[in-house]
Amino acid sequence: MAYLDKLVAIAKKNYPEVKVKQSQVAAAHSNYNATKFAWLDGLTASYIYSPQNLVNQATPSIFKGYQLAVTFSLGQLITNPSITSAARETYKVAQYQQAEYMLSLEAQVRKLYFTYLEAMTELRLRTGAVTDASAAVKQLKYAFQKGETTFQIYNEQLNSYYNQNSFMVQAELSTWTAKTNLEELLGIKLEDVK
């Protein structure tokens, strides 16, 4: 099972959808951090400087020198907690989706690996059956040529041999398909896994 765990780790490292989920979590976290300080957007500070030796008759001023003003938007201060809460929940949802995808990816890698093992075993069995059928055809051909068996028995064995070859080709196709599907999730060739 150490090999299977290595395959899962490689898939988690290489599969592009994993990187997408990581980026979604990072974006949701950044948005959450930004909304935590969004209440500062409603706060405004300003100043006015009126020199003491200037006489302005158009807009007379009582205060001379620097004048500071601080204003805040009450509406923004009231809505900010709900915006922050929504951003926190979006961040949690992104984390849960990432965790779900990781579990799904792990299960998919395991299924495809077991399918690959099954296909390899089937191919091994079919290869053995073709070898056995080939040996039987050779024996029956020799016996048929000597007149020790009938054409019907020899023909049945030839049909069996051709059927076994057909089954072996299907098993090879299943093996290559299973291997290709597994390599798609791994992002590398199966032979490159050490």
Side-chain angles (χ1 to χ4, degrees):
M1 285 300 180
Y3 184 73
L4 183 56
D5 292 336
K6 186 181 287 189
L7 293 179
V8 169
I10 289 171
K12 287 180 178 180
K13 176 184 163 200
N14 293 339
Y15 199 59
E17 189 67 25
V18 172
K19 293 175 177 72
V20 169
K21 296 295 182 185
Q22 290 170 344
S23 294
Q24 287 174 342
V25 168
H29 188 257
S30 294
N31 188 34
Y32 170 58
N33 284 338
T35 60
K36 284 196 290 188
F37 297 104
W39 63 272
L40 291 174
D41 292 343
L43 196 60
T44 307
S46 62
Y47 73 94
I48 299 173
Y49 175 66
S50 295
Q52 292 183 5
N53 58 0
L54 180 65
V55 177
N56 187 354
Q57 294 181 354
T59 55
S61 174
I62 299 173
F63 300 107
K64 302 290 185 201
Y66 289 100
Q67 299 174 24
L68 298 176
V70 177
T71 60
F72 66 91
S73 169
L74 186 59
Q76 201 160 15
L77 291 175
I78 292 172
T79 60
N80 189 53
S82 63
I83 293 171
T84 302
S85 177
R88 179 179 40 241
E89 294 305 315
T90 303
Y91 174 53
K92 286 180 183 179
V93 166
Q95 287 178 319
Y96 296 147
Q97 286 175 340
Q98 181 185 27
E100 176 196 14
Y101 185 76
M102 290 302 207
L103 291 173
S104 174
L105 180 64
E106 182 175 343
Q108 197 171 2
V109 168
R110 290 179 186 276
K111 286 177 190 175
L112 290 175
Y113 180 68
F114 294 143
T115 302
Y116 176 63
L117 290 179
E118 177 188 23
M120 284 181 44
T121 303
E122 179 73 18
L123 179 60
R124 226 180 352 262
L125 292 173
R126 293 298 178 186
T127 303
V130 166
T131 304
D132 293 345
S134 175
V137 165
K138 286 179 185 176
Q139 284 180 340
L140 282 175
K141 180 180 179 184
Y142 180 72
F144 177 70
Q145 288 173 345
K146 289 175 69 179
E148 296 174 352
T149 188
T150 65
F151 179 74
Q152 181 182 358
I153 294 173
Y154 176 62
N155 192 35
E156 287 174 3
Q157 189 58 43
L158 274 175
N159 284 336
S160 173
Y161 174 66
Y162 295 139
N163 286 338
Q164 291 302 327
N165 272 328
S166 174
F167 293 147
M168 187 178 81
V169 168
Q170 290 174 358
E172 285 177 343
L173 178 63
S174 295
T175 302
W176 288 111
T177 302
K179 182 180 179 195
T180 302
N181 290 340
L182 182 58
E183 288 174 345
E184 177 186 357
L185 288 182
L186 296 179
I188 60 173
K189 295 283 184 188
L190 207 51
E191 293 83 12
D192 296 340
V193 176
K194 296 176 174 95

